[in-house]
Amino acid sequence: MSMTKSSVQPIQKPWTSGRVIRLVLAIIVIALLLWRLYTVLVVQADYGPETWVRFSISGLIIGGMYALIAIGYTLVYGILFMINFAHGEVMMIGAFGGYFIFELLSSIVLSNGQTFNDANPALSIILAFAAGGTASAVAGYFLERIAYRPLRKAPRLILLITAIGASTFLQNAAMLLFGPQRRDYTNPEALTRGSGWTVVINNSNVTLTYTGVMSFVLSIILMAALYYIVQRTKLGRAMRAVSQDKNSAALMGIDVDDVISKTFIISGLLAGAAGVMWGIHNGLVNHYTGFLPGIKAFTAAVLGGIGNIPGAMVGGMVLGIVESVGPAALGLDFQLKDVIAFTILILMLLFRPSGLLGEALTEEKL
């Protein structure tokens, strides 16, 4: 977990034929992308500045959610050096937690004829986030205790297979419990989807939606709070110590199991908050809601540097913007935005597996 400046000096690798081939391929890919961008943006110029602003705003909003989920991958990898592929399903559980709170509050009709949801929007939102975060935190805690802790000393491939199995189990459990149909989030009236502030750009209206602004601001606040916890608190110091060397941390009196459990709880809280934001902003949730955001958040974690908390934040934001702007900038169908995200994952693994802000990994982490 890269939370402090690493004292490990990068190893100077010799220029092998493989490195030369990758460098040439990277130059070709960059040249093709630049040519395509020039053709679409300068030659064709199909979109005006207001459209690019809309795309960028959408990317920042979704990027904040990706960043919150990606931090969960990074925290777990930093402690256990494993990829928790069930993390997207933990986010899905949080989305359902917020959904049922909104449903409950919208069924309560007050004496003035308003529902509790509409009469007390701030309290309703707080309760929804509390329920979603708690549900995901509990799911993350039991996931670690039941699925991962007994296999902690097993080969990493076993843990990877277990994580994939846990993901499938949670998806199917949610389908059996909540049904396969999509559920529509009942937002408070103050957070009606599509409504917001209007800004005029190039004689066109650009809407800053209330749900989008709330999601983005809350994402920034949660990321700042996590960074403070990791850098400034006793728990954060313990997490950093365990990420460096579990045995040495245990000899210094740190309860390693407790730190790992709290790491899963924190990552679950963040994923649950992202799940509630996803429901409030996008409107629909089902048992499959967490799968694609989870995989894309993993892509964001790899993009920023797996194990690096600031990298996960940056990677999430960058991926969100690229996913929103990329199809239009490259002249592609907007249904191919998922292809762009996964292409970024492949390219990063090929050309820079340590990520944009990654560190030189020690032999133990490798």
Side-chain angles (χ1 to χ4, degrees):
M1 186 181 300
S2 178
M3 302 177 187
T4 57
K5 291 184 178 179
S6 174
S7 60
V8 180
Q9 296 297 321
I11 300 173
Q12 297 296 327
K13 297 181 180 180
W15 281 93
T16 62
S17 59
R19 289 191 69 196
V20 172
I21 291 173
R22 285 196 297 271
L23 178 61
V24 172
L25 288 175
I27 294 173
I28 293 173
V29 169
I30 292 172
L32 289 174
L33 286 175
L34 291 176
W35 171 79
R36 187 61 179 168
L37 289 172
Y38 173 79
T39 301
V40 174
L41 300 180
V42 179
V43 178
Q44 297 176 353
D46 293 330
Y47 300 103
E50 71 283 356
T51 304
W52 296 114
V53 170
R54 290 191 188 100
F55 289 152
S56 299
I57 291 172
S58 176
L60 286 173
I61 294 167
I62 201 71
M65 301 179 200
Y66 287 160
L68 287 178
I69 307 170
I71 288 172
Y73 282 105
T74 283
L75 286 172
V76 172
Y77 184 85
I79 295 290
L80 294 178
F81 309 138
M82 66 161 286
I83 304 298
N84 179 19
F85 276 120
H87 195 57
E89 279 58 51
V90 173
M91 169 249 185
M92 173 267 296
I93 291 172
F96 270 109
Y99 165 80
F100 285 115
I101 288 297
F102 278 146
E103 286 293 301
L104 174 64
L105 298 180
S106 64
S107 67
I108 301 174
V109 180
L110 304 179
S111 58
N112 60 2
Q114 281 188 307
T115 64
F116 187 95
N117 222 13
D118 294 333
N120 303 278
L123 181 57
S124 298
I125 293 167
I126 291 172
L127 291 175
F129 274 101
T134 301
S136 290
V138 171
Y141 172 79
F142 281 108
L143 186 64
E144 188 274 329
R145 288 297 300 267
I146 296 173
Y148 300 148
R149 184 172 296 186
L151 301 173
R152 192 172 295 166
K153 295 183 180 179
R156 293 188 194 178
L157 180 60
I158 302 298
L159 280 169
L160 179 63
I161 295 171
T162 302
I164 295 172
S167 171
T168 303
F169 169 79
L170 290 174
Q171 276 187 30
N172 285 275
M175 183 179 65
L176 291 173
L177 287 173
F178 311 132
Q181 69 273 20
R182 291 187 175 184
R183 307 292 187 108
D184 189 4
Y185 249 64
T186 309
N187 289 3
E189 191 174 346
L191 277 182
T192 301
R193 279 182 290 277
S195 63
W197 300 280
T198 300
V199 180
V200 178
I201 299 177
N202 196 31
N203 296 322
S204 296
N205 293 333
V206 176
T207 302
L208 297 173
T209 61
Y210 298 138
T211 57
V213 172
M214 184 206 70
S215 298
F216 179 74
V217 171
L218 187 56
S219 297
I220 298 298
I221 292 172
L222 289 174
M223 286 187 278
L226 173 71
Y227 195 76
Y228 175 82
I229 289 172
V230 170
Q231 294 291 341
R232 302 294 183 184
T233 66
K234 183 178 179 180
L235 174 59
R237 289 192 293 271
M239 291 167 65
R240 284 182 281 146
V242 172
S243 71
Q244 292 296 321
D245 191 316
K246 294 182 183 61
N247 294 328
S248 297
L251 291 174
M252 296 300 293
I254 296 174
D255 188 337
V256 174
D257 288 338
D258 182 65
V259 170
I260 293 174
S261 291
K262 288 178 179 177
T263 300
F264 273 84
I265 289 172
I266 292 173
S267 65
L269 278 169
L270 295 176
V276 177
M277 292 177 200
W278 190 275
I280 289 175
H281 184 65
N282 294 322
L284 297 174
V285 295
N286 66 355
H287 66 284
Y288 202 66
T289 293
F291 180 75
L292 271 180
I295 298 297
K296 290 181 182 178
F298 170 67
T299 301
V302 172
L303 178 62
I306 191 72
N308 188 303
I309 290 178
M313 300 175 185
V314 172
M317 294 296 182
V318 170
L319 181 64
I321 293 175
V322 170
E323 183 181 288
S324 296
V325 176
L330 297 175
L332 302 175
D333 193 296
F334 283 90
Q335 293 181 351
L336 296 177
K337 64 177 183 177
D338 296 338
V339 175
I340 293 176
F342 298 134
T343 300
I344 291 174
L345 174 61
I346 294 171
L347 293 176
M348 287 302 298
L349 291 174
L350 281 175
F351 299 118
R352 188 174 173 80
S354 61
L356 297 175
L357 302 181
E359 62 175 350
L361 297 179
T362 63
E363 184 177 350
E364 179 186 355
K365 289 186 179 182
L366 289 172

